[in-house]
């Protein structure tokens, strides 16, 4: 069945709003029918017209009320605002009985996050957090491989997320993207650690199933005048004894969107890179490394379930994002209309978001204490 | 504006039909509202129901007539049948005044192709052939680079399209995909040369702008009992003196969908591989090789125009295919509704298809003459 | 035991002479004690002094006679002159009873080659031709894999040797290396086809064990004024039905020393690239591709026998060349002093050289006949 | 001129002794004429005979005295014993007036290191430490690039050295290599941190010229029963504000000899991997990444000086090691015989060794204090 989607944020010039719209369309589960695309009413209306969205609202509060009151109202809202608005917008829609699909990180502050957690619990509605990287087919497979014991006991986890787009003081040159991401009032306590470090953490946890117990973080603002960290180096200790390194940087010159995961166990190891995501390197200890490809020889059902094309036909970032929307559709249709639910459906949600917030806060606390160990 | 799409072929179990549907949805230009998904009426109906398509037809002739007669009839039809049906289906819709988006190769036989060419000309309608690989952003850039003289005079062109899915007699095991692709009655005179060789030829021509004048082809059916070629090695001579090699194989063990292009000029060279399409290697003669990335440093406007995400967020096969549908939408909206047309819009069409047919026929003729040179 | 080596050619400024000297030293089997390093006596003497070679000769004829007459005379001579001198120099030493290690190609002309073949046969001496690429450990392994049936019946062989150093008329700018390699009087009938094409042919034959029966060659001189081919595209037919493509080019902009081999059989395929020679990709049909590394998991005894360091410690061009000298030492010590010989020792020799000459001549003949098929 | 070399350690079955011998031979600067190859006299004699070394000694003390007393005595001794013997052997030869080439790390204990430092100073002799990875041509170039300002101010340094050969308790299975490397009595306080971590540190310091001021280390012995660390994760702070991560592991399943360096500055970044050492990735901020190749376009004189072959002819581990021996020969010939010295000659020595020892000790201290910051 097709569901009806609303959107808050994501007007002209925003990157992630366009991504959510493509992701919602790609598998045909959603129609975008309502939106409050900008806090600037003129811009909101112009954006909606350009996108052919029938119901354009001047603010999200009106939208939540109006949509809840319509027989053909939206089934879910996608929240693609800067971080500090995630919580109030989500609350408005959840209180109105509307399911939520929210961009990460969860909120700008821990207080917001804790409040939102209560609201979600009280609402009984679905809350999907778009940690899209967990939806790459070979990441699904990697998770299944770890769970199956193919790597043995995990010893080492290395997650990197390296970019260079903030290697200069871009926020001082009028870049909207750079401005809010380096502004504590809109982003929260974390810069790189929040924007991309949470993705790396989420990916590592998703694949390994391991729980971080302690961390030690060293955050740096390399660019003069920058108010949030643009480099974060975090040591992780996991329950059970595994150790990890997480490195998130937005000043690593020469890296575009270098999310990379390496997991080494006592029976095998895997390596994966987001920029060429259709390949997973797997080394069973003492045997040659195998190149596992999405949908190719050596692919697992968990990868096939979220693949759309045969091996050798590269799927990328938007397909992974679309899988989040497909899984969200399945969960919300099940919740709202009772459609049957494939037990394999999984999507990141509130718990992932809360962990991301606790992680950010712990990193900042650790870094302020000169990288002391902090419990998570 | 949103256009209305119909589809012929592409019922349950077909690969390319699903690809066309995703491609049509991805950018939001098309609504799929009518279809004749299978020549088996029950299967057609079931497929349409599963896909939520309102108007399901038992055969394409009825569909063409009915849709032409409706005020809300389709703006274009997507043809995703086996090759031998491309011509009659296209003719039915063109005669009914409906624009056509057709999978490649153009037709199964040269006679069909010539007839279709006349029908297209008489119809005055758009005819788009989905040579999707030309829509990869870095292929658009490569074409612009060659045209700009960045490579100097082109000397050598090497196009490979290597697969291994037909390395065994798969067509004897019940594989629908393998059956029709190895059946002369449904595929035409070419096996690998038609199915994938035409893609390689089209890509080479699109990027270099060079015209093939002569070729010498050596086609082989390596798998016992196979009726069409599963390996094709073709030497190309281009107007102006450049030389080329085109190798299409479906028995190259270890290759999934290995389309690769290399172009060497007297001032520079480029290399590109479809399986990791967000990277283009460019070597200005005597300088270090540069890694040009889609939407990254060194990307050109021609790549940016058909990109959806920033550098490092991999786009793949479906995005390229979607660009064909986006360009088709622009062309058809312009033709039918007079919407303004960006002069940069380009899409493969009848001429590409005719060249592909002449190429196939010439390859078969050359091969039968022990790889003698044949004019194209 | 240590053997005594002489050298003809390879004075100051020559590339390949220095390579032979390093190769001879690397494993400690040879002492270079005598030389005629240049046809220019002053240059010969200066070069010898610089290299600390005790016995320097003004010409190779004197050297052959003198060394043959000494109790401590050389065991073998290394010939590293331009091609047209290989035959007379080799003859002088063979007639004097001295074993020969000769750079490839065998000679400049077929007549020289046939004469030399007789001389070698009459001499009963070892004649080693330094087709060094066959000595890479993973090439030895690849050969063993093919022989073992791991790839099944070979269907396709693709050998490329791409360079770009002659993309401009370098021979007109005073480059000694470029001058003789583009001069028919010193190189023979083949340009790229002789200089590097013979390496590619030799490598393909070494690995596959297949015999070329027919070829069709298209040779081109792209650079204006060049007298020999700088690009050679050759179709190969092998006994048993396998087909091959060999592409040798010295104008492929962006390629340094791109020797690459791909072999596809009905049970598996392999891919190897000389520029990163410690890796061999192997795909058993229907299974994931394996990354076989020199001396790593998945390496075979045939690779280990000619490896010097553990996996991950890259060995390169000079090590392969040194293996030729090590094998030559074993063969010559056995022939001359009766030392025991490991049956695994193998080195390219006269037969390889004769095949290379027939290949070149056939390529030129075919190309002159517009790429007609020629028997080899 | 050719120098005379002695060797202590490196008898049958030792890996690194054979490497030193090849390195010494490769460029023809050294003749190995004397040795005490094993502490077991029979094994020492047998090894020497096998290697054709004339003067074999039963112990290194006798050797030092005897060689010092001969007119044709050795110019230098190569020490390739387990770590705990480096100091006493070096002392014996230095006291005898013989130059020393010593494998790393410097010694097993800090006390030994400090004592040795005094001995070296008193002796006035050359002391070369074979941190061979600094001799790769592109590492020489990387150092020059950083020094020239091509990367701007360095912000981030990442050095990894990942292996997996100790992922199992190999030392319990009779492996001589594993035994002494995991034995504190023979290796010293560091396991992975000493064996390979010191290489990574040395490489990072060599390339960046930065001085470590503080570190925080987390050492782990993952394999049950292992007495030394097999994984070391070290945070580095450099004078001037740059930050670094150093990760040395011998249990990173799937890694053979994965030494990798990444350096990011405010104007550019570089990446290099030892397993494919002929390539250096360089990204000038905001421009496409360049593939710099050894001796190819974009190579610097600092790389060319230590290259032996043209671009595309891969040089590897042994060539880098040989460069250390070539530089050692130049330094020792200059010191002992007054031969002219190229000012570009550089070789790692005592200072590098002392830094490596302080580093190891600091890592162990930090790790014992739960990864507290420790001054270096």
């Amino acid at each position: 069945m097709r569901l009806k989607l609303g959107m808050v944020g994501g007007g002209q010039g925003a990157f992630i709003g366009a991504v959510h719209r493509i992701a919602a369309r790609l598998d045909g589960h959603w129609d975008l029918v309502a939106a409050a695309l900008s806090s600037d009413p003129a811009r909101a209306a112009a954006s909606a017209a350009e996108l052919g969205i029938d119901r354009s609202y001047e603010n999200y509060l009106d939208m939540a009320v109006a949509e809840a009151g319509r027989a053909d109202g939206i089934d879910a809202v996608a929240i693609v605002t800067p971080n500090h608005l995630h919580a109030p917008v989500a609350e408005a829609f959840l209180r109105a009985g509307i399911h939520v699909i929210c961009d990460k990180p969860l909120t700008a502050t821990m207080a917001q996050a804790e409040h939102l957690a209560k609201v979600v619990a009280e609402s009984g509605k679905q809350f999907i957090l778009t940690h899209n990287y967990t939806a790459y087919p070979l990441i699904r497979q990697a998770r299944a491989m770890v769970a199956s014991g193919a790597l043995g006991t995990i010893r080492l986890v290395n997650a990197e997320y390296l970019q260079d787009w903030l290697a200069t003081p871009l926020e001082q040159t009028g870049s909207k993207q750079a401005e809010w991401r380096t502004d504590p009032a809109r982003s929260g306590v974390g810069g790189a650690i929040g924007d991309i470090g949470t993705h790396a953490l989420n990916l590592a946890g998703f694949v390994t199933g391991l729980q971080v117990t302690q961390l030690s973080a060293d955050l740096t603002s390399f660019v003069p005048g920058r108010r949030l960290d643009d480099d974060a180096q975090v040591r992780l200790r996991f329950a059970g004894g595994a150790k990890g390194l997480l490195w998130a940087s937005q000043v690593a010159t020469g890296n575009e969107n270098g999310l990379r995961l390496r997991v080494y166990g006592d029976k095998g190891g895997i390596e994966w890179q987001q920029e060429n995501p259709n390949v997973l390197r797997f080394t069973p200890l003492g045997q040659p490394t195998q190149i596992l490809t999405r949908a190719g020889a050596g692919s697992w059902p968990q990868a096939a379930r979220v693949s759309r094309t045969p091996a050798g036909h590269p799927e990328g970032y938007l397909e992974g994002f679309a899988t989040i929307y497909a899984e969200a559709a399945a969960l919300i249709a099940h919740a709202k209309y009772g459609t049957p639910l494939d037990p394999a459906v999984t999507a990141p949600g509130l718990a992932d978001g809360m962990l991301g917030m606790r992680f950010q806060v712990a990193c900042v606390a650790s870094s302020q204490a000169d990288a002391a160990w902090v419990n998570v």
Side-chain angles (χ1 to χ4, degrees), chain A:
Chain A
M1 73 182 301
R2 283 176 88 92
L3 300 177
K4 287 179 284 298
L5 183 69
M7 179 170 280
V8 176
Q12 289 156 335
F15 149 58
I16 205 67
V19 165
H20 279 250
R21 287 190 292 268
I22 293 175
R25 276 195 302 262
L26 199 143
D27 289 320
H29 299 301
W30 296 95
D31 288 308
L32 178 57
V33 297
L37 293 171
S38 172
S39 50
D40 169 347
R43 207 159 145 272
S47 296
E50 186 183 313
L51 294 166
I53 299 173
D54 292 336
R55 309 197 291 265
S56 176
Y57 295 89
E58 294 208 355
N59 71 70
Y60 67 85
L61 292 168
D62 294 351
M63 177 176 162
V65 172
E67 290 294 322
R70 294 177 67 109
D72 64 348
I74 58 175
D75 296 300
V77 67
I79 304 175
V80 291
T81 62
N83 305 344
H84 68 302
L85 293 173
H86 290 181
V89 176
E91 180 168 7
F93 284 85
L94 290 167
R95 297 270 188 228
I98 294 172
H99 301 277
V100 168
I101 299 168
C102 184
D103 207 75
K104 47 53 55 190
L106 187 62
T107 57
T109 69
M110 198 66 220
Q112 282 183 322
E114 283 164 359
H115 177 69
L116 180 56
K118 278 185 214 142
V119 173
V120 170
E122 289 164 15
S123 74
K125 299 297 161 195
Q126 291 289 325
F127 183 89
I128 314 292
L129 197 72
T130 53
H131 270 305
N132 57 292
Y133 297 115
T134 59
Y136 272 113
L138 287 172
I139 288 298
R140 296 288 174 97
Q141 174 163 339
R143 174 185 170 93
M145 290 173 71
V146 172
S148 79
L151 278 69
T153 300
I154 302 307
R155 290 169 168 168
L156 293 163
V157 182
N158 186 284
E160 293 180 354
Y161 201 146
L162 304 186
Q163 302 179 328
D164 70 1
W165 71 291
L166 291 176
T168 60
L170 191 64
E171 64 270 37
Q172 300 170 20
T173 65
S175 160
K176 190 173 134 82
Q177 295 288 333
E179 265 174 38
W180 77 257
R181 279 192 169 81
T182 59
D183 175 6
R186 284 177 281 176
S187 268
V189 295
I193 195 66
D195 192 29
I196 57 177
T198 51
H199 269 310
L201 178 82
N202 185 256
L203 188 71
F206 181 80
V207 168
T208 66
L210 294 175
Q211 204 175 340
V212 178
T213 55
Q214 277 193 305
L215 63 77
S216 152
D218 198 10
L219 310 186
T220 313
S221 300
F222 277 107
V223 171
R226 183 156 293 157
R227 290 175 292 164
L228 291 172
D229 64 282
D230 47 28
D231 186 84
Q233 309 193 355
V234 189
R235 217 169 241 161
L236 304 171
R237 288 180 177 165
F238 297 97
K243 295 196 173 177
L245 281 173
L246 185 152
W247 181 17
S249 186
Q250 293 175 319
V251 299
T253 320
N255 289 275
E256 293 181 338
N257 198 38
L259 176 60
R260 180 185 185 203
L261 182 68
R262 293 177 282 178
V263 181
Y264 303 126
D266 64 1
K267 293 206 179 116
I270 52 173
E271 302 192 4
W272 179 83
Q273 300 192 44
Q274 190 267 154
E275 295 190 353
N276 192 9
N278 296 283
V279 168
L280 176 69
R281 292 175 71 96
F282 169 51
T283 312
L285 182 63
Q287 294 177 39
T289 296
Q290 298 173 12
I291 303 297
L292 307 181
T293 55
R294 188 193 54 74
S299 74
W300 289 33
Q302 290 84 354
R305 196 181 69 80
V306 293
S307 281
R308 293 162 188 83
T309 54
H313 298 71
E315 296 194 12
Y317 175 83
L318 293 170
E319 285 78 6
F321 224 110
T323 292
I324 299 285
Y325 267 85
E327 307 274 60
L331 291 165
I332 291 169
H334 177 68
K336 186 163 178 182
Y337 303 105
T339 57
L341 185 64
D342 178 345
V345 167
T346 178
L350 185 71
D352 300 88
M354 290 303 293
L355 178 59
M357 293 306 295
R358 285 198 305 274
F359 169 72
Q360 275 192 74
V361 168
C363 284
V364 171
S366 170
S367 189
Q368 286 170 348
D370 204 16
W373 289 105
V374 169
N375 293 329
V376 179

